[in-house]
Amino acid sequence: MSGPARISRFPVPEVADLPEDLRERILAVQEKSGFVPNVFLALAHRPAQLRLFMDYHDELMNADEPLTKAEREMIVVATSAERDCLYCVVAHGAILRIRAKDPLVADYLATSYRQADLTDRQRAMLDYCVLLSVRPEDVDDADHDALRAAGWSDDAVWDMSAITAFFSMSNRLAHAFGIMPNPEFHLMGRVPKG
């Protein structure tokens, strides 16, 4: 059996050595999930940047309106799949399974969101977000009009855009730093807790 997998291409500090506010946030995540997501450990190499990353992440992903938490995670999984970001697909796929209460949805979004069992409204959302992620220069007024026709508000389109942009950055950081998903993510939300 080999040793522990590398977390990042850069040095990873010990949680105990982090500023108190970050240490508390990371330990709270560990208490809730049972482990510390590797992304937090990797980004802790630059604590001030980790703090900003966590603040913006939480602002985008913990709101319930105008997108549900599950829809927010759908955006992350579908756009990250298009960018071949293993970390974000696996980690946010786990969160999506839990938030959607569906053990299959993340697998469909990770391979082909167009084949997933989605509402027309959700499909319009993902069509837009994937376009914004992979060909941002092609986004135009017609794309926003299509979202409004599907029933999405301006605030919803704003959040879709912000989530897509944030995770485009996150995908690039995960690729650049070589961040691998924690093994624990693979089973989360797949089988009922016993």
Side-chain angles (χ1 to χ4, degrees), residues 35-189:
F35 63 99
V36 177
N38 285 342
V39 69
F40 298 146
L41 298 172
L43 296 182
H45 179 71
R46 301 290 295 271
Q49 291 179 21
L50 172 60
R51 186 178 293 109
L52 294 168
F53 180 94
M54 292 176 86
D55 286 346
Y56 197 36
H57 172 277
D58 291 353
E59 176 67 24
L60 292 173
M61 300 307 290
N62 291 336
D64 287 318
E65 293 180 5
L67 305 172
T68 67
K69 288 180 181 177
E71 288 166 339
R72 292 168 189 276
E73 296 296 341
M74 287 178 181
I75 293 169
V76 178
V77 176
T79 60
S80 296
E82 294 290 328
R83 291 287 181 193
D84 293 323
C85 183
L86 180 64
Y87 185 90
C88 291
V89 168
V90 172
H92 288 274
I95 298 166
L96 173 57
R97 287 190 296 273
I98 292 166
R99 289 189 168 171
K101 296 176 178 55
D102 181 343
L104 303 178
V105 65
D107 291 339
Y108 280 96
L109 296 184
T111 54
S112 176
Y113 78 91
R114 292 166 189 86
Q115 295 181 34
D117 184 19
L118 303 172
T119 66
D120 290 343
R121 191 168 184 247
Q122 290 168 335
R123 193 169 313 284
M125 172 186 77
L126 294 181
D127 285 343
Y128 168 75
C129 293
V130 166
L131 175 65
L132 180 60
S133 179
V134 299
R135 291 193 327 275
E137 68 280 5
D138 290 347
V139 172
D140 60 22
D141 290 346
D143 298 303
H144 284 234
D145 293 342
L147 288 168
R148 288 184 191 99
W152 292 109
S153 68
D154 285 346
D155 285 345
V157 176
W158 180 283
D159 283 4
M160 290 173 199
S161 303
I163 292 164
T164 301
F166 179 82
F167 280 93
S168 291
M169 176 194 71
S170 184
N171 295 163
R172 284 165 177 80
L173 292 174
H175 283 297
F177 302 162
I179 305 170
M180 295 300 291
N182 303 65
E184 294 90 343
F185 281 126
H186 292 281
L187 296 179
M188 288 174 58

Side-chain angles (χ1 to χ4, degrees), residues 15 18-30 54:
V15 173
L18 293 175
E20 183 178 354
D21 66 312
L22 288 174
R23 186 173 57 251
E24 288 175 3
R25 286 176 84 169
I26 289 172
L27 292 176
V29 170
Q30 181 180 30
M54 292 176 86

